[in-house]
């Protein structure tokens, strides 16, 4: 199957980034979010990025004009009716994703691929809610999408080989380096990364060191480019907590028990960069 038109559901940070790299690769993109203000913000954000590219001499005004002809934005999910693939990048909640993917399978063409940008959830469970489970798989991008090269491609139990191959090729076409992963909670990166971040939050919770000291220690002592708590803020502490809870429930292993520090931050609404405050304060 040849992909010509891409649908992106969810116009937040991840969805806007997926739309950006897809458009820059020459694909027609339909970007949809149920909240009009979110769609408007995403479109303005894309043009701001492209505008800076023009200012720096990396893009021409003609290229930006062409990008905008490739982009269609909407709040109506029915506008996905003629796309070849929908990449869903909405809230990390299995019930919401199942409901949305069921709806998509009823709206889209019979051969449309449905890809979820989930960072940990079961692709098989999401697929089972649809009319065409063989057309569903995971396509996990990393933040910030325009800079991060990896895409984890995760087949569900019944995902067909041709769908996997099509998405692997699409990933390469939009400038990514895909890695196929067997379906398992957290796949590859988050299976390793989230427990590491969670343990850093436990070290903070126990008063062993300050946020700054923990991050400094891991950067200088382990060669990490970013400290684990700064990374939690970038990912979103609510997302990190949700993944920890999912791991804990799936594996039943105490090593995945979510840090109380994560829970307290989420209860306070301190989710990281997106709210202006997390382990660090970004208000200034």
């Amino acid at each position: 199957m040849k992909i010509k038109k891409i649908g992106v559901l969810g116009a937040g940070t991840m969805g806007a980034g997926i739309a950006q790299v897809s458009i820059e690769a020459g694909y027609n993109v339909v970007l949809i979010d149920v909240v009009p203000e979110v769609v408007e913000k995403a479109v303005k954000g894309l043009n701001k990025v492209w505008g800076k590219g023009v200012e720096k001499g990396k893009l021409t005004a003609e290229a930006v004009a062409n990008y905008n002809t490739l982009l269609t934005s909407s709040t109506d999910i029915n506008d996905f009716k003629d796309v070849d693939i929908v990449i869903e990048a909405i809230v990390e909640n299995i019930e919401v994703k199942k409901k949305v993917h069921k709806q998509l399978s009823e709206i889209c063409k019979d051969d449309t691929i449905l890809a979820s940008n989930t960072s940990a959830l079961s692709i098989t469970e999401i697929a089972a809610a649809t009319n065409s489970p063989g057309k569903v798989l995971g396509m996990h991008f990393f933040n910030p999408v325009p800079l991060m090269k990896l895409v984890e491609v995760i087949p569900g139990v019944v995902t067909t080989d041709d769908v996997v191959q099509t998405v692997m090729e699409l990933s390469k076409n939009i400038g990514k380096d895909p890695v196929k992963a067997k379906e398992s909670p957290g796949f590859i990166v988050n299976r390793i990364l989230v427990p590491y971040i969670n343990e850093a939050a436990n070290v903070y919770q126990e008063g062993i060191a300050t946020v700054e000291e923990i991050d400094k220690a891991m950067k200088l002592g382990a060669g990490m480019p970013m400290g684990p708590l700064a990374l939690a803020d970038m990912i979103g502490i609510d997302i990190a907590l949700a993944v920890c809870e999912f791991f804990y429930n799936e594996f039943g292993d105490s090593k995945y028990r979510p840090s109380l520090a994560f829970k307290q931050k989420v209860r306070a609404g301190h989710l990281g960069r997106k709210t202006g405050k997390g382990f660090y304060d970004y208000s200034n």
Side-chain angles (χ1 to χ4, degrees), residues 4 10 36 38 44 52 61 103 109 143 148 172 184 198 203:
K4 296 181 180 179
V38 173
K44 286 183 178 179
K52 287 182 178 179
Q103 188 178 5
K109 301 180 297 182
N143 186 32
M148 300 296 279
K172 294 174 184 176
S184 179
N198 188 54
V203 170

Side-chain angles (χ1 to χ4, degrees), residues 43-117:
V43 173
K44 286 183 178 179
L46 289 173
N47 278 284
K48 183 177 180 180
V49 169
W50 293 329
K52 287 182 178 179
V54 173
E55 291 174 7
K56 295 178 180 179
K58 296 180 178 179
L59 287 173
T60 64
E62 291 76 15
V64 174
N66 182 58
Y67 288 164
N68 276 283
T69 66
L70 295 174
L71 174 62
T72 301
S73 59
S74 173
T75 57
D76 186 356
I77 197 171
N78 289 291
D79 289 336
F80 284 143
K81 62 183 179 296
D82 63 345
V83 301
D84 301 309
I85 184 172
V86 177
I87 303 172
E88 164 269 306
I90 62 172
V91 63
E92 191 76 344
N93 179 293
I94 190 69
E95 295 304 323
V96 174
K97 287 186 185 292
K98 285 161 62 176
K99 181 179 178 181
V100 166
H101 279 262
K102 182 178 188 300
Q103 188 178 5
L104 288 171
S105 70
E106 294 167 350
I107 291 169
C108 297
K109 301 180 297 182
D110 290 343
D111 61 348
T112 297
I113 296 170
L114 302 181
S116 178
N117 184 51

Side-chain angles (χ1 to χ4, degrees), residues 181-209:
K182 180 180 178 181
E183 183 182 26
S184 179
F187 318 131
I188 302 170
V189 173
N190 282 338
R191 175 72 178 272
I192 298 168
L193 184 64
V194 173
Y196 156 68
I197 297 171
N198 188 54
E199 193 60 25
N202 283 330
V203 170
Y204 164 73
Q205 179 67 35
E206 293 168 17
I208 294 170

Side-chain angles (χ1 to χ4, degrees), residues 12-32:
T13 301
M14 295 302 293
I18 294 167
Q20 179 184 334
V21 297
S22 300
I23 291 167
E24 291 174 357
Y27 288 95
N28 285 287
V29 171
V30 181
L31 178 62
I32 293 177

